[in-house]
């Protein structure tokens, strides 16, 4: 008479002999007899036994499998909670095999789909039982997927300093043939779904996000900020659900690697702690690097469901080239490899400007960027990451299909993009309709980048910034502006006046931020009238020389505006961008009244560029230079030239502040259409020109 036995790890099975019955009882209660081997924390089974296991992912059954001659204790169910790249498997693993024992056609199809996914993407499925990690990989030569390899190690023997390390899988023999590397591009596969953590999964239903039980992300899988392409190189950002730490080399056992805690976002803002306009300047730099022709900076009120009221939001919108998915990934990553060439027309160097700028201005930022064939949305938020152990940065990317934008399923699935959109809606004043409205600013074939920042930095009971809107009319008194609420000037050696508008007026700062201004900049809806200093000086003197073996040119002259305000000093530009303003040198430091109105302009790119020693550079906040030998030599040279100019051009006895008005040697105007600068005729009155 046949007997039936049902166990947690054994489907109904028929036995016809007493020996089979004894075997079933043993399997049903323990699944396998084990003898603990304490020397290496690995368990070994009795010879000849086989165990049946149910393989699951996200509580959904894949297939029942049979484990042949296992040497570890086996539970009745293996829950797969992570997918990693095979090349990052730990070293020193033991191996065994599993074979599918399907109970129905559904399990048979799921098994083939699962194995095909792992093989095409060169992935391994991670399951945990008791104190052991199991890595399931397909056999390379078995096209019918008749069996798979299970590699395992007791967790106590895995180094805690890393999660997964690169591993040469070709050295592993699956018992039948040496493994071959699958060269197929995973992006050509139909099974390109991802779970919200960024891992690609085989089934079409959106699974839940899983992370290591100890809270450590899989920093070696091809995941970056929740939706990275599988083809991204290891030299680029290593991240999971927003964790980002740049790894320059493949990790090896014993090496320690870092992840970013959300508190680091607040730390980033301290880069511009001494001057908040330095944070806004980071966005201006990025827009210029993107070849933008127009940049709009404004603060407007927007209703926040979270706050239950209207709150101010800073908007920075340009019409530059925009960013592709890979480019926005690099932008939100924490640092990048510096460019090999020192392009004088390119300002960005360190890959931290966007993060330091946004986190100094506010707690939360949303980026909307569009190229000729893509559109991406990124969300960098302290509010979203509050209480978490690792930084999450949701990103959604679309591709242009004719006249329409469609979700790029080569990067993320609809489930992942929906989860990311829900995060943006929950922790921001934005919803899909508001985002669509802002995307309309790009127009049909437009490109550019829009940055929105809210929960702005506070000053007492209000905000660090205050703003006034521009009014209709051509007068400069009707122009909008953004101010520092404190109205305090920055500290400079030898400075005696507190009237330094560019220190607390964004409009005044942007007037002189570029050596050769071409980009149209609007602040609070009104155009900033650029003021290239070298073209607005009286009694101009051009001094050429050499500093540290590099040629330099200093333009010195008198500025009526700075004479009235009691300012003087040298403006130092680097890559065409203002780094230091009103730097007093020589007798300017101790004899400021004599020097009032004396302004110098110099581009120090050739002197203050990396010479390969790593000792010559501009600060990463772009508000100063490192104290080094070339900079000291530059100061000495500037001091001598400034003193010579004072001796030759300034009355040593009488300095009358309210004396006759000095016009510049030449009057320059900029065309609003082509942005070129032209000299007016000597008898032309520039005051008669319209504002536009």
């Amino acid at each position: 008479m046949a007997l039936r036995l049902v166990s947690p790890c054994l489907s109904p099975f028929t036995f016809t002999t007493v020996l089979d019955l004894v075997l079933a009882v043993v399997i049903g209660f323990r699944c396998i007899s084990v003898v603990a081997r304490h020397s290496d924390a690995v368990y070994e089974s009795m010879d000849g036994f086989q165990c049946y296991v149910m393989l699951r992912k996200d509580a959904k059954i894949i297939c029942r499998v049979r484990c042949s001659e296992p040497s570890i204790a086996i539970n009745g169910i293996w829950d797969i909670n992570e997918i990693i790249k095979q090349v990052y498997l730990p070293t020193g693993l033991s191996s065994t095999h599993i074979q599918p024992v399907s109970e129905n056609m559904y399990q048979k199809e799921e098994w083939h789909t699962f194995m095909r996914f792992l093989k095409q993407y060169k992935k391994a499925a991670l399951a945990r039982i008791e104190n052991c990690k199991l890595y399931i990989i397909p056999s390379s030569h078995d096209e019918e997927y008749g069996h798979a390899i299970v590699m395992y190690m007791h967790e106590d023997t895995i180094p805690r300093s890393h999660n997964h390390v690169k591993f040469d899988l070709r050295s592993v023999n699956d018992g039948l043939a040496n493994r071959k590397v699958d060269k197929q591009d995973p992006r050509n596969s139909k099974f390109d779904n991802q779970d919200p953590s960024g891992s690609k999964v085989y089934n079409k239903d959106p699974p839940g996000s899983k992370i290591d039980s100890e809270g450590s992300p899989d920093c070696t899988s091809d995941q970056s900020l929740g939706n990275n392409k599988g083809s991204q190189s290891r030299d680029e950002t290593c991240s999971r659900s927003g964790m980002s730490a740049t790894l320059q080399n493949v990790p090896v056992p014993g090496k320690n690697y870092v992840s970013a805690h959300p508190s680091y976002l607040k730390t980033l803002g301290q880069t511009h702690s001494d001057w908040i306009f330095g944070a806004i300047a980071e966005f201006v730099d990025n827009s210029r690097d993107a070849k933008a022709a127009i940049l709009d900076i404004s603060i407007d009120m927007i209703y926040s469901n979270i706050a239950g009221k209207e709150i101010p939001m800073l908007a920075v919108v340009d019409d530059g080239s925009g960013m592709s998915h890979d480019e926005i990934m690099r932008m939100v990553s924490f640092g990048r490899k510096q460019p090999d060439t020192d392009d004088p027309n390119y300002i960005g160097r360190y890959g931290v400007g966007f993060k330091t700028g946004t986190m100094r201005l506010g707690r939360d930022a949303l980026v909307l960027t569009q190229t000729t064939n893509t559109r991406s949305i990124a969300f960098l938020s302290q509010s979203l990451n509050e209480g978490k152990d690792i930084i999450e940065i949701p990103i959604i990317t679309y591709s242009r299909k004719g006249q329409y934008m469609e979700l790029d399923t080569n990067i993320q699935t609809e489930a992942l993009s929906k989860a990311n959109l829900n995060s943006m809606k929950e922790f921001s004043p934005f919803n899909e309709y508001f985002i669509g409205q802002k995307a309309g600013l790009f127009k049909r074939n437009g490109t550019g980048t829009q940055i929105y920042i809210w929960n702005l930095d506070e000053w007492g009971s209000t905000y660090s910034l205050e703003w006034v809107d521009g009014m209709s009319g051509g007068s400069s008194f009707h122009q909008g502006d953004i101010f520092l609420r404190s109205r305090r000037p920055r500290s400079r050696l030898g400075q005696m006046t507190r009237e330094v508008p560019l220190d607390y007026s964004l409009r005044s700062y942007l007037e002189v931020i570029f050596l050769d201004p071409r980009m149209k900049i609007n602040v609070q809806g009104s155009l900033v009238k650029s003021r290239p200093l070298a073209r607005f000086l009286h009694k101009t003197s051009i001094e050429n020389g050499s500093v540290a073996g590099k040629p330099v040119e200093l333009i010195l002259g008198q500025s009526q505006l700075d004479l009235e305000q009691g300012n003087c000093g040298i403006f130092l530009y680097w890559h065409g961008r203002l780094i230091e303003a009103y730097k007093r040198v020589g007798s300017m430091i101790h004899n400021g009244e004599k020097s009032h109105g004396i302004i110098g302009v110099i581009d120090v790119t050739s002197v203050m560029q990396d010479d390969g020693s790593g000792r010559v550079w501009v600060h990463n906040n772009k508000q100063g230079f490192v104290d080094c030998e070339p900079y000291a030599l530059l100061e000495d040279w500037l001091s001598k030239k400034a003193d010579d100019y004072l001796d030759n051009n300034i009355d040593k006895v009488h300095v009358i502040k309210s004396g006759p008005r000095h016009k510049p040697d030449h009057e320059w105007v900029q065309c609003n259409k082509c942005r070129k600068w032209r000299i007016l005729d000597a008898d032309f009155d520039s005051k008669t020109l319209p504002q536009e």
Side-chain angles (χ1 to χ4, degrees):
M1 176 177 170
L3 298 177
R4 278 190 180 275
L5 175 66
V6 180
S7 73
C9 67
L10 192 63
S11 297
F13 198 86
T14 302
F15 301 92
T16 57
T17 66
V18 175
L19 181 60
D20 289 339
L21 177 60
V22 174
L23 175 59
V25 172
V26 174
I27 295 176
F29 287 96
R30 179 59 176 164
C31 185
I32 190 167
S33 297
V34 298
V35 177
R37 183 185 298 168
H38 296 287
S39 62
D40 59 0
V42 175
Y43 299 92
E44 184 175 309
S45 71
M46 297 176 61
D47 293 338
F49 281 88
Q50 296 179 334
C51 182
Y52 292 84
V53 178
M54 191 62 73
L55 204 59
R56 299 192 312 185
K57 176 73 169 72
D58 302 318
K60 294 183 180 180
I61 294 175
I62 300 174
C63 184
R64 188 182 68 151
V65 297
R66 181 172 59 238
C67 186
S68 302
E69 299 183 357
S71 57
I72 52 175
I74 304 241
N75 294 345
I77 297 176
W78 291 356
D79 277 314
I80 296 171
N81 49 25
E82 197 170 339
I83 305 291
I84 68 172
K85 292 182 71 174
Q86 293 178 5
V87 292
Y88 302 130
L89 290 176
T91 56
L93 298 176
S94 302
S95 65
T96 185
H97 299 83
I98 57 175
Q99 294 174 292
V101 186
S102 306
E103 296 177 313
N104 49 48
M105 286 301 298
Y106 170 81
Q107 292 187 14
K108 183 176 181 181
E109 292 175 359
E110 284 294 291
W111 170 263
H112 280 261
T113 304
F114 177 52
M115 288 293 107
R116 185 164 59 249
F117 166 79
L118 294 180
K119 185 173 182 179
Q120 288 178 343
Y121 285 86
K122 291 175 280 190
K123 299 277 191 176
L126 171 60
R128 291 177 175 84
I129 58 169
E130 297 183 359
N131 293 323
C132 188
K133 289 184 178 180
L134 308 175
Y135 300 89
I136 304 171
I137 59 176
S139 174
S140 60
H141 79 290
D142 186 0
E143 300 297 334
E144 299 298 325
Y145 306 116
H147 74 285
I149 306 165
V150 179
M151 308 177 72
Y152 57 89
M153 177 183 289
H154 195 277
E155 283 191 318
D156 292 340
T157 66
I158 300 177
R160 296 294 181 184
S161 60
H162 62 283
N163 289 325
H164 302 95
V165 298
K166 188 169 182 180
F167 177 68
D168 188 0
L169 196 60
R170 290 171 295 181
S171 64
V172 178
N173 191 328
D174 65 6
L176 298 171
N178 288 330
R179 186 166 175 77
K180 298 179 181 179
V181 179
D182 192 344
K183 298 296 184 181
Q184 182 176 355
D185 188 346
R187 288 172 293 181
N188 295 330
S189 171
K190 297 180 180 179
F191 300 92
D192 56 0
N193 297 323
Q194 294 177 312
D195 66 11
S197 69
S199 299
K200 303 237 177 175
V201 295
Y202 70 94
N203 49 347
K204 298 178 182 178
D205 296 315
S209 175
K210 299 293 182 179
I211 295 182
D212 189 297
S213 59
E214 297 176 1
S216 301
D218 173 20
C219 189
T220 52
S221 63
D222 61 339
Q223 307 157 8
S224 186
L225 306 167
N227 51 10
N228 191 16
K229 293 182 181 180
S231 60
Q232 186 176 11
S233 70
R234 286 285 298 146
D235 285 340
E236 297 190 12
T237 302
C238 159
S239 51
R240 177 182 178 84
S241 292
M243 184 280 295
S244 179
T246 303
L247 303 182
Q248 299 299 333
N249 298 297
V250 175
V252 296
K255 297 288 186 179
N256 293 314
Y257 295 91
V258 299
S259 61
H261 189 272
S263 61
Y264 184 57
L265 294 177
K266 186 176 181 179
T267 304
L268 285 170
Q270 297 177 3
T271 300
H272 300 284
S273 59
D274 61 335
W275 196 49
I276 198 170
F277 280 170
I280 297 179
E282 296 285 4
F283 306 138
V284 180
D285 294 344
N286 291 343
S287 295
R288 199 196 80 159
D289 288 346
K291 311 300 180 185
I294 301 176
L295 172 64
D296 294 307
I297 304 174
S298 62
I299 298 179
D300 298 302
M301 302 302 291
I302 183 174
Y303 186 81
S304 169
N305 289 324
I306 299 175
K309 61 180 181 179
E310 286 193 333
I311 61 173
M313 181 174 68
L314 174 67
V316 182
V317 181
D318 70 45
D319 64 346
S321 57
M323 290 176 285
S324 65
H325 175 78
D326 289 340
E327 289 169 335
I328 199 171
M329 289 290 299
R330 288 193 291 270
M331 185 186 77
V332 298
S333 301
F334 298 141
R336 66 163 184 263
K337 181 180 181 296
Q338 293 189 17
D340 296 327
T341 58
D342 196 17
D343 187 348
N345 298 316
Y346 193 81
I347 305 173
R349 297 287 294 173
Y350 303 105
V352 297
F354 168 76
K355 280 81 65 179
T356 59
T358 53
M359 293 298 100
R360 174 65 179 95
L361 291 162
R363 285 174 49 85
D364 307 283
L366 185 137
V367 183
L368 183 61
T369 184
Q370 181 167 302
T371 66
T372 55
N373 52 22
T374 67
R375 177 185 295 165
S376 295
I377 309 171
F379 186 36
L380 182 63
S381 168
Q382 293 185 40
S383 300
L384 169 66
N385 288 283
E386 190 171 354
K388 296 185 178 181
D389 294 326
I390 203 163
I391 298 175
E392 177 184 356
I393 306 179
I395 297 178
I396 307 172
T397 297
Y398 302 87
S399 60
R400 187 189 295 273
K401 303 293 184 182
Q403 299 180 5
Y404 303 97
M405 288 287 181
E406 295 182 357
L407 185 69
D408 191 341
T409 54
N410 288 326
I411 297 173
Q412 76 272 292
T413 64
E414 292 185 11
L416 174 58
S417 63
K418 184 177 180 180
N420 288 338
L421 180 60
N422 288 338
S423 296
M424 297 176 189
K425 291 163 59 178
E426 180 181 358
F427 292 95
S428 79
F430 289 79
N431 55 35
E432 59 267 42
Y433 305 107
F434 196 14
I435 293 175
Q437 178 186 357
K438 296 301 183 183
L441 298 176
F442 292 127
K443 300 180 181 178
R444 180 172 179 179
N445 296 315
T447 62
T449 298
Q450 304 174 28
I451 300 174
Y452 300 97
I453 305 171
W454 61 98
N455 288 331
L456 299 180
D457 183 65
E458 296 181 352
W459 180 275
S461 60
T462 183
Y463 298 97
S464 298
L465 299 175
E466 60 178 328
W467 52 95
V468 293
D469 294 331
M471 296 181 291
S472 60
S475 171
S476 61
F477 295 102
H478 295 91
Q479 295 176 341
D481 203 351
I482 298 175
F483 299 98
L484 297 184
R485 187 168 298 277
S486 65
R487 295 294 204 283
R488 291 186 302 176
R490 304 177 69 188
S491 176
R492 296 180 181 88
L493 186 63
Q495 181 168 301
M496 293 177 288
T497 178
R498 294 182 61 84
E499 191 176 356
V500 191
L502 67 81
D503 283 353
Y504 49 79
S505 165
L506 182 62
R507 176 175 293 276
S508 297
Y509 174 54
L510 296 179
E511 285 179 355
V512 298
I513 191 173
F514 293 127
L515 187 63
D516 184 22
R518 293 296 179 92
M519 181 170 60
K520 282 186 179 181
I521 304 178
N522 297 299
V523 174
Q524 291 300 111
S526 55
L527 180 67
V528 174
K529 191 173 182 179
S530 298
R531 188 164 60 95
L533 290 172
R535 295 168 177 166
F536 285 77
L537 299 178
H538 172 63
K539 291 186 178 180
T540 303
S541 174
I542 300 178
E543 303 290 339
N544 291 288
S546 176
V547 175
K550 304 293 179 60
V552 291
E553 181 181 87
L554 171 65
I555 300 175
L556 285 163
Q558 302 175 35
S559 166
Q560 180 68 28
L561 179 61
D562 290 296
L563 176 63
E564 296 171 354
Q565 295 173 347
N567 291 316
C568 65
I570 310 298
F571 283 67
L572 280 70
Y573 289 82
W574 179 81
H575 287 248
R577 199 270 222 182
L578 179 63
I579 302 299
E580 292 188 31
Y582 296 120
K583 179 179 178 61
R584 299 197 176 203
V585 293
S587 60
M588 290 181 177
I589 299 175
H590 308 291
N591 191 10
E593 291 186 0
K594 173 184 174 182
S595 308
H596 282 175
I598 305 303
I599 296 297
V601 179
I602 184 173
D603 190 321
V604 299
T605 304
S606 61
V607 178
M608 298 304 299
Q609 64 179 350
D610 189 359
D611 59 357
S613 66
R615 295 188 296 270
V616 181
W617 36 267
V618 65
H619 291 163
N620 62 5
N621 63 3
K622 303 188 186 76
Q623 299 300 320
F625 298 98
V626 66
D627 188 15
C628 57
E629 182 182 8
Y631 189 64
L633 295 174
L634 176 65
E635 285 183 320
D636 292 341
W637 186 83
L638 291 174
S639 299
K640 182 179 183 305
K641 295 301 179 182
D643 289 346
D644 290 344
Y645 182 86
L646 289 171
D647 292 340
N648 297 329
N649 295 277
I650 303 300
D651 187 347
K652 299 181 180 180
V653 179
H654 301 288
V655 178
I656 303 176
K657 182 176 180 180
S658 59
R661 180 178 177 87
H662 298 291
K663 292 181 63 177
D665 295 338
H666 304 285
E667 285 204 81
W668 294 77
V669 292
Q670 186 179 30
C671 173
N672 281 336
K673 185 175 182 180
C674 69
R675 307 304 292 169
K676 292 183 179 179
W677 290 85
R678 295 179 172 86
I679 300 178
L680 295 176
D681 294 335
D683 57 348
F684 194 94
D685 186 2
S686 62
K687 294 182 179 180
T688 62
L689 291 174
Q691 182 68 23
E692 292 290 333

